[in-house]
Amino acid sequence: MAMAIRVFLTLLLFLISTHLTSSLYEDQVGLMDWHQQYIGKVKHALFHTQKTGRKRVLVSTEENVVASLDLRHGEIFWRHVLGTNDVVDGLDIALGKYVITLSSDGSILRAWNLPDGQMVWESSLQGSKASKSILYIPKNLKADKDDLILVFGKGCLHAVSSIDGEVLWRQDFAGESIEVGHIIQSTDEIYVAGFIGSSEFYVYGLNAKNGELLKKDHTTLPCDTFGELLTISSDKFVVLDNMRSKILTIKIKNGKISYNQKPISDLIKDSSGQAVIVPSRLPELFALQINSHVLLIKVTNEGDLVLVDKINNVAACSDALSISEGQHAFAFAQHEDSKIFLFVKDVSDWNGDLLKESIIIDQQRGNIDKIFINNYLRTDRSYGFRALMVMEDHSLLLVQQGEIVWSREDGLASVVDVTTSELPVEKEGVSVAKVEQNLFEWLKGHVLKLKGTLMIASPEDVVAIQALRLRSSEKSKMTRDHNGFRKLLIVLTRAGKVFALHTGDGRVVWSILLHTLRKTEVCVHPVGLNIYQWQVPHHHALDENPSILVVGRCGPSLATPAVLSFIDAYAGKELNSLSLAHTVAQVIPLPYTDSTEQRLHLIIDINQHAYLYPRTPEAIDILQREFSNVYWYSVEADNGVIRGHALKSNCIHIVDEYCFDFRDLWSIVFPSESEKIIATVTRKSNEVVHTQAKVMTDYDVMYKYVSKNVLFVANAAPKARGEIGAATPEEAWLVIYIIDTVTGRILHRMTHHGCQGPVHAVFSENWVVYHYFNLRAHRYEMSVVEVYDQSRADNKDVWKFVLGKHNLTSPISSYYRPEVTTKSQSYFFTHSVKAIEVTSTAKGITSKQLLIGTIGDQVLALDKRFLDPRRTLNPSQAEKEEGIIPLTDSLPIISQTYITHSLKVEGLRGIVTVPAKLESTSLVFAYGVDLFFTQIAPSRTYDSLTEDFSYALLLLTIVALVAAIFVTWVLSERKDLQEKWR
Amino acid sequence: MGALPFRFFFAVTLLLTCALGFQSDELLLDDDEFGIEGGRSFDSDSHHQPPATATTSRKRFSDSASASDSKIQFPLQHAFGDSDFSDAGNFSARLKTWSHGGQTLTKLRFKRDPLTDVEQKNFQELLRGDDFYRIRLPSNVLSPPGREYIISSVKARCLPGDGLEEHFVIHMEGVNVLAVNYGAPGACPYPRQLKLPAKWSFKSYTVLKNSEQAPRTPIFAEDVLGGEEGDGEAVKPIEKSFWAKYWMYLIPLGLIVMNAVTQAMNMPDEQPGGQPGAQTQQQPGAAVQRGPSSGGVRRR
C-alpha cells in the first residue's frame, strides 16, 4: 500500500507543480493570445529598384509609421512607429541604401538602413517659423564629395550630407515671408520658388556648394492663385487662378520668370464645374479634374497647353514612373460597379495602353484613394506593372496581372472604439466528432500531449504538440463556449469601417464599410464617434441576432448633424441607418430595454434637447415610467464647468414625441485662474461588485461606497497644463474630486501640491487609481483613493442581522446626506503611462489587477493589493494573513507580469477588458497601431483546469494506481503467507 | 446638542486666550471649529455674539491682519421647480487676507428670509409634484455672481422634517465657491412620501470646506535602492528559528532516539526473563513470555 501512496503522491505533486505557475512559459505563447501588426493608411510609397530592394516597398503612413513591406506577401520586414506628434512629411531613398524620412514639420531628418531598418543617423533642423516642409533628394548633386539632401522646413533651406546627416549649409527664408513651394535643381544651382501672398511669385537662386544667394527674381501674376503649384518639369509649373477658370503656366529660365495663361474653356467646351489640379507628377503633363472627368493636358516647350485626353470616372492617378531612358509610364484607375479598371499608359505615346486590367474588389473596401505603380521585367522581357492601391477603408492591396496578390487590413491600425458581442449558441445536431475530426485524431492528440507531459517526446513530437495546441479548432469555433472565452470584438475604425474579430484567433469574421460614414456631398468629413451594444438578446428574445449601434457625425465640429447605423452583429449587415436632423454631443445608454431587448439611448444635442432612441411608442412608455429617475452630467472642459441634468418635459419648440427638454440641476464651477479640468473618469456601467463590505483585520467592517453615479475629476493648475518641466513645483498643483453625479455633491476633494498631469485614471468599485507626475520628487506617482460608506457602518452587530434591524435592504437614495470616509495613499511608479484599465470579471469575486499601458507599448498587470491605502511599514500578523503587503514607496515592476510578454503593441492607445463567463478569467484587448488580445486570470484559474490539462495522464495515473494496489496487495498476501509458514 | 454651546464657548475662550499669540495657528483653529459647527438657524442668532467680540479683540492686537479683515455678504437665491430665482437669504462671513496674499472666508453665518405666502404655496406645489427645489450661489463672493452661478437642487420632499431642514456644505477655493452640497441633513428614503412640514421655517446647517492636502508619498532610502533594482518582491524571507526550519527532521530523529532508548531499557528486563535456557523449550511458552514483556514496555 505504501508504495501505491508514494506513487500517487509523486504524481499528484507533479500535477500540482505544473499548474501553479502564474506567468507564461515560452511554449504557451500564442495559445490564448494573439498579436497583429499593422501600419495604418499609407501616405507615401516608394519602390526600390535596385537588386536587393527589389522585393520591397517602403511606406510611410498616417499613423506615423515607416515600414518596409515584402512585395510578394505583404509582410512587414521592418517597421518604426514614430511618436504621435512626429508626423512623417517626406520619404525618399538616398545613396541607394538609406531611407530618408523628414518628420515633425520638417525639423527631424532621419536615415534608416534599407535592409534592416536600423537608424543610421538623425539630425534635428532648426528653424524659426512654421512652414510647409519639403524633402528633396537631387540626383548627382555634390558638395565636397557629399551627396546632398535638401530640406525645406520651418522657414529654412538646409543642405544635409547624406552620409552622416551633418548640416552643410542653411539659408534662412523666414525674413522673406515667402511660402516656399518647390525646390528645383539645375546642375550647380538650386532654385527655390514660392509665393508671397497668392500672386507674388518669387524665385531665389542658390549656390549648391555653399548655399550662397546668387540671384533673385519675382513677378506679379495677373490674378490671385488657387491651390498648390504643380511641377511639370524642372522649370515649368502650373497653377489655377482663384476663379478656377484659367490655367497659369510659369516658366523659369536661368532664374528669370515668365508666365502664360489660358482659360480652361479654350481646352474643353463644357468647362462648367470646379476645376482642381490633380497632384500627380507627370513629365510635361498635368491632370485637371473637372466634375468627374480628368483632362490630361500637355505643356509644350513654348508653354502652350494641348489637351491630350479626357477620361471619365477616374478614381486615382499615380505619379509617373520612369521605365527606361525617356519613357515614362503612369497609371490611373476607373471604377465601374464592383470592378476596377487599371490602365497604365506611356506618357509620350498616348494612344496605346501599356496595360489594361480589370480587378474585382470587395465592395466593403470602398473607392481607391491612392495608387502607386512599379514595373518589373516579365519572363518574355517586356515590362510588367504592379500597382499598390490604398483604398477608402485604409486597406492596402497589391495588384498584379489582374489579381490581388495580397491585401492588408490597415484600417485596424486606427481603432476608434471597441465593443463585444456574444457568438451564437451552438445548434443541436452539430456533433462533437465533426469538430474534432475523428476519434483517432483525438486519441493521437492526447497521446502526444501525454508524451509531452512525461517528457518522453522527441523533438518532432514537440513541434507537433505545439502546432496542435496553436490550431486547436476549439478556440476558433463560431459558437458560444460555456467559459465565455469566444466572443466577437467589434471595432470601429477611423475610416468608418466596422470589423468583427474573433477572440480565439483574431481573424476578421466580417467587415462593413458604413455608407453613413462615407464621404458624400451632404456629409463632407464624416467621423465615427462611438459604438454601443444596441440589442443584446437573451432569455426570451434569443432568436434575434444581437445588433450594435454606431454613432457618427458629419464633421469634426460639434455643430454638424449626427448619423446612426445599426449593424447585425452576426451577419455584419447594416440593418438600418439614420441621418439625423439634430447634432450629437453625448450618447447615454439607459439601463432600460424594451421587449425585444433593444437598449434605450438618449442622444443629447448641443441645443439642450434629448432625443430618445429607438423611436417606438414602447420606448416612450418605458421612459415615461422612469422619467424622474434619469440623470446625467456634462463636462465643459474648456470652461471648467460640470453640470448635472434631468429630463423636464417634451420639447416645446420642436414637434417630436421623442424629443425632450431638460434642465440643469446642479453646477460646479471651477475657478478658471487656479484650475483646469484635465481628466474625468467614471465607473464602467456594467461592472459587478460582489462584496459590498470589507472586513478589516480587527474584525471591523467597512462598507464600500458603491454608487454608480460617481465621477472622478482631476484638475491641474493652468500653468502646469503643458509639458512636464514647463512649470515650477510652486506653480503646479493637482486637485482631484470625487463627485456624485445625481446631486452634484463633492464627496472628496484633495490637493497634490507640486504635481501635474497628464493624469490617467481608472475608477472601479469604490476606488480610483490615478497616475500623474510629481515635480518635487521628479518622479511619476500613482495614488489610490478608496471611498467607504459610513451611513451603513452601524450594521456590525450580529443580533441586528438576526432581528432584521439593519438598514442594508432599504433602498439607497442619492438624496441621503453622504457620510463617506476616504483612505488614500501615493506610491512612486517608474514608468509614464499611456492607458490604464482594470480587469473585470463576471461576478466581481476575483481580485483585481490594474492593466497599465506603459510608455514602451507593453501592458503591465499590477495587483491592486499593491495600491492598498492600508499598507503599513510593519504589518501585524493579522494584517499579513489578510494579504497586506508591507509599505514601500514605489510600486514594483515585475517583468514576468507583462501580459504582452515579449511583444509590443506599438502606438498603444487603449485597453479594453471584458469579463468571460468563467469567473476567474478576464479578456483583455489592447489596441494601437497593433492589436493584442489575451486572457488573464488575476487569481489564477482557480475554477477550472487549464486548457492543456492531460486527461489521458489522469486516466493513466488511475489505471496505474489500481494496478499498483493489486500488485502490492498480492505482494503483501504472499509475504503474509511466507511469514505464517516460518 | 447640549454639548454644542459648551464646546462653542470653549472654543471662544480658547480663541480669546491665544489671540495674543501665534497668528496662523489660531485662525486654523477657529476656522475648523466654526466651520464644522457652522452657522445657526436664525432663531439661535444670539449665540453669535461672542465670536464678534473675539474678532474685535483680535483687531485690537494683531495689526497686520486687522486691516485686511473685512466682512462680506453674499446672497442665496432659490427657485421652485422651473421658476425664476429669487432672493432667499444671506450668507455673511469674514474675509481673511493672509500675509501671502491668499484670501479665505471664516465664520460663515446664514440668515434665511422667512417664506412668504406665495412661496409657501409654491413649495406645497413642489411637494405635491415631487419636484426640485433649487438654490444658487454666486461663484465668486467678492464680485457676485462671478463667472456663473453655482446651482444645486434637491427633491422638495426631502426637506420637510419637523420644520424644513436644510444642510449646506460650501466648497471654497479662496474667495471662489466651487460647489455647494445641498440637501436634507439626514436621510431621504425612496420612495419619497408626501409630508407637509409642521411649520414653514427653515432650520439651516452650514459648513465651509476647503481642500485638504493629499498625503505625502512615503520615502524610504533603503527601499529606493531595492526599487531601482527592479525586484519588487524585495520582501526578505524572515529568518526562521532552528526548530521551525528542521522540525521535520528533528521529530523522526527524536522518535528514533526514544525508540532506541526504550529498547535499551528493555534489554536489561528481557535478559533476566529469558535467561533460563528457555529457547530450546517449546514455542508457545516463548510466545506467552514475549507477550507480557513487550506489554510491560508499553506500559512503562
Side-chain angles (χ1 to χ4, degrees):
Chain A
M1 243 356 240
M3 189 187 148
I5 289 170
R6 213 178 302 152
V7 168
F8 178 73
L9 274 180
T10 8
L11 276 170
L12 196 74
L13 260 171
F14 186 67
L15 281 177
I16 288 171
S17 63
T18 49
H19 295 301
L20 265 183
T21 46
S22 62
S23 49
L24 216 58
Y25 285 111
E26 199 182 341
D27 64 338
Q28 285 175 312
V29 167
L31 275 189
M32 304 178 295
D33 56 330
W34 47 263
H35 179 235
Q36 294 175 351
Q37 294 186 315
Y38 293 102
I39 53 174
K41 186 187 180 185
V42 170
K43 277 201 292 198
H44 312 282
L46 269 183
F47 292 92
H48 190 39
T49 44
Q50 288 189 1
K51 280 175 205 152
T52 47
R54 213 186 291 155
K55 291 175 195 151
R56 299 180 177 201
V57 59
L58 291 164
V59 291
S60 73
T61 70
E62 290 189 351
E63 300 293 327
N64 307 336
V65 176
V66 183
S68 170
L69 303 179
D70 185 348
L71 261 186
R72 303 274 186 276
H73 309 288
E75 286 153 5
I76 297 170
F77 271 123
W78 54 261
R79 176 180 68 151
H80 292 285
V81 182
L82 310 182
T84 40
N85 301 322
D86 204 5
V87 179
V88 183
D89 305 310
L91 177 78
D92 213 334
I93 294 173
L95 297 175
K97 59 180 179 180
Y98 293 159
V99 183
I100 308 290
T101 58
L102 178 68
S103 56
S104 289
D105 298 325
S107 62
I108 299 175
L109 191 70
R110 293 188 183 97
W112 316 87
N113 195 12
L114 192 55
D116 58 4
Q118 299 283 335
M119 201 201 294
V120 184
W121 50 259
E122 179 186 63
S123 55
S124 82
L125 309 174
Q126 308 299 322
S128 46
K129 66 164 197 183
S131 72
K132 194 181 158 185
S133 49
I134 305 163
L135 173 68
Y136 182 69
I137 299 184
K139 305 278 177 293
N140 309 318
L141 184 65
K142 286 183 194 265
D144 302 336
K145 283 179 258 169
D146 270 351
D147 280 318
L148 281 187
I149 298 170
L150 294 175
V151 175
F152 187 83
K154 302 237 170 196
C156 282
L157 182 70
H158 304 263
V160 182
S161 157
S162 58
I163 291 167
D164 54 6
E166 192 192 343
V167 179
L168 298 175
W169 52 261
R170 64 192 282 259
Q171 180 70 43
D172 199 341
F173 288 95
E176 316 274 337
S177 70
I178 176 174
E179 278 298 318
V180 172
H182 285 279
I183 301 171
I184 314 139
Q185 171 216 357
S186 66
T187 55
D188 266 356
E189 280 175 19
I190 297 162
Y191 292 101
V192 172
F195 282 102
I196 293 179
S198 63
S199 63
E200 294 275 309
F201 187 73
Y202 276 77
V203 169
Y204 294 86
L206 302 167
N207 186 340
K209 295 260 184 291
N210 51 21
E212 189 190 346
L213 195 61
L214 298 174
K215 47 196 150 184
K216 173 177 165 182
D217 188 22
H218 93 279
T219 187
T220 308
L221 299 179
C223 49
D224 285 351
T225 55
F226 170 82
E228 294 275 311
L229 195 67
L230 183 78
T231 339
I232 303 297
S233 60
S234 61
D235 56 352
K236 274 180 262 172
F237 302 96
V238 285
V239 70
L240 284 174
D241 75 331
N242 63 342
M243 299 302 290
R244 292 154 91 169
S245 62
K246 273 186 285 187
I247 300 165
L248 294 165
T249 321
I250 302 166
K251 197 170 174 187
I252 303 167
K253 194 144 197 182
N254 294 324
K256 293 271 173 276
I257 309 166
S258 58
Y259 65 86
N260 273 330
Q261 50 179 323
K262 190 164 190 175
I264 295 172
S265 51
D266 283 10
L267 295 167
I268 180 173
K269 283 172 204 105
D270 174 31
S271 65
S272 62
Q274 301 282 302
V276 181
I277 291 180
V278 178
S280 291
R281 288 190 183 179
L282 309 170
E284 310 292 326
L285 269 180
F286 71 93
L288 188 75
Q289 186 162 17
I290 303 176
N291 299 332
S292 63
H293 317 295
V294 166
L295 308 180
L296 286 154
I297 300 161
K298 193 175 176 78
V299 185
T300 62
N301 281 334
E302 291 74 44
D304 237 13
L305 301 178
V306 181
L307 181 64
V308 178
D309 202 357
K310 179 181 163 190
I311 318 160
N312 293 330
N313 294 324
V314 170
C317 296
S318 76
D319 284 349
L321 171 79
S322 157
I323 42 176
S324 62
E325 198 60 46
Q327 199 183 9
H328 294 270
F330 120 101
F332 62 88
Q334 275 180 321
H335 273 288
E336 214 159 276
D337 299 328
S338 64
K339 274 190 178 171
I340 285 176
F341 291 98
L342 177 72
F343 295 90
V344 180
K345 289 200 181 226
D346 191 333
V347 172
S348 44
D349 175 24
W350 200 254
N351 296 322
D353 291 330
L354 287 173
L355 187 79
K356 185 181 172 188
E357 284 170 353
S358 75
I359 309 130
I360 297 168
I361 280 182
D362 183 5
Q363 291 262 297
Q364 302 303 342
R365 293 197 188 277
N367 295 334
I368 297 182
D369 215 59
K370 283 198 176 91
I371 185 165
F372 303 94
I373 56 164
N374 173 229
N375 64 327
Y376 61 93
L377 218 52
R378 288 204 193 107
T379 43
D380 61 353
R381 299 257 154 207
S382 62
Y383 285 111
F385 294 91
R386 53 171 87 95
L388 196 65
M389 295 181 183
V390 183
M391 308 299 291
E392 198 180 351
D393 68 343
H394 299 183
S395 62
L396 190 66
L397 309 178
L398 187 86
V399 174
Q400 188 179 329
Q401 293 157 9
E403 271 181 74
I404 298 170
V405 183
W406 51 260
S407 62
R408 292 181 58 87
E409 289 290 357
D410 277 306
L412 285 170
S414 51
V415 172
V416 176
D417 199 9
V418 185
T419 188
T420 54
S421 165
E422 293 288 343
L423 283 161
V425 183
E426 194 160 352
K427 295 277 190 311
E428 277 171 52
V430 180
S431 73
V432 186
K434 201 174 163 190
V435 184
E436 299 282 3
Q437 291 116 25
N438 57 49
L439 195 69
F440 178 69
E441 287 283 309
W442 182 83
L443 211 66
K444 213 169 97 184
H446 274 286
V447 168
L448 268 177
K449 267 191 201 171
L450 178 65
K451 271 179 155 179
T453 322
L454 296 176
M455 295 184 202
I456 51 168
S458 63
E460 296 91 71
D461 287 346
V462 172
V463 173
I465 294 166
Q466 191 64 7
L468 204 72
R469 288 160 95 184
L470 286 179
R471 66 178 162 79
S472 126
S473 55
E474 188 71 18
K475 68 174 188 180
S476 53
K477 265 204 285 188
M478 277 302 296
T479 51
R480 228 175 267 195
D481 59 337
H482 70 272
N483 284 339
F485 293 162
R486 292 199 294 263
K487 282 186 195 317
L488 285 178
L489 287 168
I490 297 174
V491 299
L492 172 66
T493 64
R494 211 172 47 218
K497 195 171 186 179
V498 177
F499 290 89
L501 306 175
H502 195 289
T503 56
D505 51 4
R507 69 177 191 273
V508 176
V509 177
W510 52 258
S511 63
I512 178 171
L513 187 66
L514 295 177
H515 80 264
T516 49
L517 295 178
R518 287 178 74 171
K519 203 183 266 188
T520 55
E521 268 136 42
V522 201
C523 209
V524 188
H525 298 288
V527 281
L529 295 176
N530 287 102
I531 185 161
Y532 299 90
Q533 290 183 334
W534 176 254
Q535 192 179 15
V536 186
H538 55 289
H539 303 314
H540 51 275
L542 253 182
D543 46 333
E544 303 236 4
N545 286 358
S547 54
I548 50 170
L549 165 69
V550 179
V551 181
R553 192 192 283 150
C554 274
S557 120
L558 272 175
T560 48
V563 286
L564 303 183
S565 281
F566 303 90
I567 304 167
D568 185 322
Y570 290 168
K573 295 277 172 288
E574 196 168 31
L575 299 171
N576 190 10
S577 69
L578 300 168
S579 288
L580 306 180
H582 58 81
T583 56
V584 55
Q586 214 177 345
V587 181
I588 300 161
L590 298 174
Y592 317 116
T593 52
D594 69 4
S595 57
T596 56
E597 303 264 349
Q598 288 186 6
R599 188 161 296 279
L600 269 60
H601 285 68
L602 276 183
I603 295 183
I604 315 295
D605 73 351
I606 55 169
N607 304 319
Q608 297 268 307
H609 297 300
Y611 295 88
L612 177 69
Y613 291 89
R615 295 170 75 90
T616 55
E618 190 193 355
I620 288 268
D621 279 352
I622 296 167
L623 187 70
Q624 289 295 355
R625 238 179 286 146
E626 303 287 347
F627 201 73
S628 63
N629 290 336
V630 178
Y631 297 88
W632 71 95
Y633 68 94
S634 58
V635 180
E636 295 165 25
D638 304 328
N639 208 9
V641 182
I642 301 177
R643 287 176 216 280
H645 312 281
L647 290 174
K648 191 163 78 177
S649 59
N650 267 85
C651 284
I652 296 163
H653 303 295
I654 302 169
V655 187
D656 183 355
E657 240 190 309
Y658 302 95
C659 167
F660 298 93
D661 278 334
F662 58 86
R663 58 179 156 208
D664 293 355
L665 287 186
W666 52 265
S667 63
I668 294 174
V669 182
F670 297 113
S672 53
E673 64 274 12
S674 65
E675 287 176 34
K676 284 265 180 269
I677 300 173
I678 54 169
T680 54
V681 175
T682 49
R683 279 182 61 188
K684 260 192 255 174
S685 59
N686 57 356
E687 194 187 39
V688 187
V689 180
H690 184 260
T691 35
Q692 300 217 350
K694 194 168 184 177
V695 182
M696 301 286 149
T697 32
D698 50 355
Y699 300 107
D700 198 4
V701 180
M702 295 277 271
Y703 285 89
K704 295 175 183 172
Y705 187 78
V706 287
S707 164
K708 289 224 162 163
N709 305 311
V710 278
L711 172 71
F712 168 82
V713 181
N715 289 356
K719 274 191 183 169
R721 282 183 81 196
E723 299 259 303
I724 290 164
T728 62
E730 284 70 37
E731 52 192 23
W733 56 83
L734 198 72
V735 194
I736 63 115
Y737 297 85
I738 294 172
I739 296 166
D740 184 312
T741 56
V742 172
T743 58
R745 283 176 162 137
I746 295 179
L747 302 174
H748 183 61
R749 176 180 171 202
M750 197 162 77
T751 311
H752 293 269
H753 285 287
C755 295
Q756 72 163 96
V759 171
H760 295 275
V762 61
F763 209 136
S764 171
E765 294 199 350
N766 65 328
W767 52 262
V768 59
V769 167
Y770 50 101
H771 177 271
Y772 54 91
F773 190 75
N774 187 332
L775 287 166
R776 289 220 168 89
H778 310 288
R779 283 202 257 184
Y780 283 99
E781 271 185 6
M782 268 169 105
S783 283
V784 58
V785 179
E786 292 191 354
V787 189
Y788 291 98
D789 192 353
Q790 284 300 100
S791 64
R792 297 193 291 164
D794 313 332
N795 303 312
K796 287 172 193 162
D797 198 346
V798 180
W799 285 109
K800 273 192 178 171
F801 287 100
V802 173
L803 300 171
K805 281 195 175 172
H806 57 86
N807 60 358
L808 291 179
T809 48
S810 63
I812 293 167
S813 164
S814 285
Y815 291 106
Y816 276 77
R817 189 160 72 91
E819 296 171 54
V820 296
T821 54
T822 54
K823 288 170 181 281
S824 70
Q825 179 69 271
S826 306
Y827 301 95
F828 292 123
F829 187 70
T830 323
H831 285 313
S832 62
V833 160
K834 283 186 167 178
I836 183 165
E837 189 48 82
V838 67
T839 56
S840 56
T841 52
K843 302 273 189 298
I845 301 169
T846 310
S847 65
K848 306 245 169 190
Q849 277 185 340
L850 290 166
L851 302 175
I852 298 164
T854 63
I855 193 72
D857 293 323
Q858 294 209 303
V859 180
L860 177 77
L862 183 71
D863 212 311
K864 168 66 178 58
R865 288 188 303 146
F866 285 109
L867 279 153
D868 190 331
R870 295 190 302 133
R871 282 174 70 181
T872 53
L873 211 49
N874 290 310
S876 65
Q877 195 58 39
E879 281 176 327
K880 266 187 210 157
E881 273 165 23
E882 200 200 315
I884 287 183
I885 303 163
L887 184 66
T888 51
D889 58 352
S890 53
L891 295 170
I893 293 167
I894 305 160
S895 47
Q896 288 97 316
T897 58
Y898 279 107
I899 61 165
T900 45
H901 41 92
S902 62
L903 303 169
K904 271 175 99 178
V905 189
E906 292 279 5
L908 182 71
R909 281 197 308 271
I911 304 168
V912 177
T913 60
V914 189
K917 238 182 249 168
L918 197 66
E919 168 55 29
S920 66
T921 311
S922 178
L923 310 179
V924 179
F925 179 59
Y927 60 90
V929 174
D930 291 355
L931 305 181
F932 178 79
F933 173 87
T934 192
Q935 300 167 8
I936 60 167
S939 307
R940 294 170 192 172
T941 47
Y942 55 82
D943 50 1
S944 71
L945 294 166
T946 51
E947 225 169 56
D948 53 346
F949 180 79
S950 174
Y951 291 93
L953 182 64
L954 184 71
L955 224 84
L956 194 91
T957 314
I958 293 166
V959 169
L961 280 181
V962 171
I965 287 167
F966 275 102
V967 168
T968 46
W969 179 64
V970 168
L971 282 176
S972 76
E973 283 285 288
R974 207 176 282 171
K975 206 179 170 190
D976 257 14
L977 197 64
Q978 273 177 356
E979 197 84 340
K980 279 176 185 165
W981 271 111
R982 208 175 337 140
Chain B
M1 279 306 271
L4 223 151
F6 170 73
R7 228 196 291 171
F8 192 81
F9 281 114
F10 176 71
V12 168
T13 44
L14 204 72
L15 200 140
L16 280 167
T17 48
C18 45
L20 285 160
F22 217 47
Q23 191 61 46
S24 58
D25 267 355
E26 169 202 59
L27 274 167
L28 279 176
L29 171 82
D30 83 39
D31 193 81
D32 280 350
E33 284 294 310
F34 292 117
I36 287 157
E37 281 163 27
R40 299 281 171 277
S41 56
F42 53 84
D43 50 358
S44 63
D45 215 28
S46 57
H47 285 284
H48 284 280
Q49 233 44 47
T53 57
T55 38
T56 48
S57 70
R58 191 176 337 127
K59 247 180 197 168
R60 220 174 294 138
F61 294 114
S62 51
D63 47 355
S64 70
S66 64
S68 50
D69 220 16
S70 58
K71 201 167 180 176
I72 53 155
Q73 279 199 339
F74 53 97
L76 172 84
Q77 295 179 319
H78 65 174
F80 304 91
D82 297 315
S83 76
D84 288 335
F85 283 95
S86 58
D87 281 341
N90 255 310
F91 284 99
S92 59
R94 292 216 158 260
L95 182 71
K96 182 85 205 150
T97 307
W98 295 86
S99 48
H100 56 74
Q103 289 178 310
T104 47
L105 291 188
T106 55
K107 288 189 203 65
L108 184 75
R109 270 185 266 158
F110 178 54
K111 185 169 176 353
R112 213 182 221 285
D113 304 334
L115 289 176
T116 61
D117 288 348
V118 181
E119 284 171 341
Q120 279 184 27
K121 204 167 285 168
N122 284 337
F123 206 97
Q124 281 183 28
E125 280 293 305
L126 289 187
L127 290 177
R128 283 200 192 94
D130 192 19
D131 211 343
F132 288 102
Y133 176 66
R134 301 199 290 163
I135 58 147
R136 73 178 187 188
L137 285 173
S139 65
N140 188 311
V141 294
L142 286 186
S143 55
R147 210 144 60 87
E148 217 171 296
Y149 280 102
I150 309 290
I151 306 171
S152 191
S153 50
V154 68
K155 286 274 181 184
R157 287 188 183 179
C158 290
L159 296 178
D162 193 16
L164 288 166
E165 290 179 356
E166 59 183 355
H167 188 275
F168 295 90
V169 182
I170 301 176
H171 289 268
M172 303 286 301
E173 172 69 50
V175 293
N176 292 301
V177 180
L178 287 183
V180 51
N181 299 2
Y182 179 69
C188 179
Y190 186 85
R192 293 174 283 270
Q193 303 297 331
L194 174 62
K195 180 188 166 198
L196 289 176
K199 57 177 188 216
W200 287 96
S201 65
F202 271 98
K203 204 171 171 189
S204 314
Y205 305 89
T206 56
V207 178
L208 267 187
K209 263 201 182 160
N210 279 303
S211 182
E212 3 173 326
Q213 281 253 25
R216 282 270 180 93
T217 312
I219 300 176
F220 320 121
E222 63 277 356
D223 273 305
V224 170
L225 289 171
E228 276 168 2
E229 280 160 23
D231 53 340
E233 288 171 320
V235 193
K236 277 184 189 163
I238 301 147
E239 195 59 45
K240 288 179 190 166
S241 67
F242 181 77
W243 175 247
K245 250 184 188 167
Y246 300 112
W247 64 271
M248 63 283 269
Y249 306 112
L250 289 177
I251 289 177
L253 199 77
L255 283 174
I256 289 165
V257 169
M258 290 249 293
N259 212 11
V261 168
T262 47
Q263 286 217 339
M265 304 260 284
N266 277 354
M267 288 298 237
D269 275 10
E270 220 160 323
Q271 230 111 50
Q275 189 66 300
Q279 273 146 323
T280 48
Q281 282 173 8
Q282 51 188 35
Q283 288 283 11
V288 169
Q289 227 172 14
R290 217 182 296 154
S293 72
S294 65
V297 172
R298 223 175 287 142
R299 236 174 278 131
R300 225 174 284 165

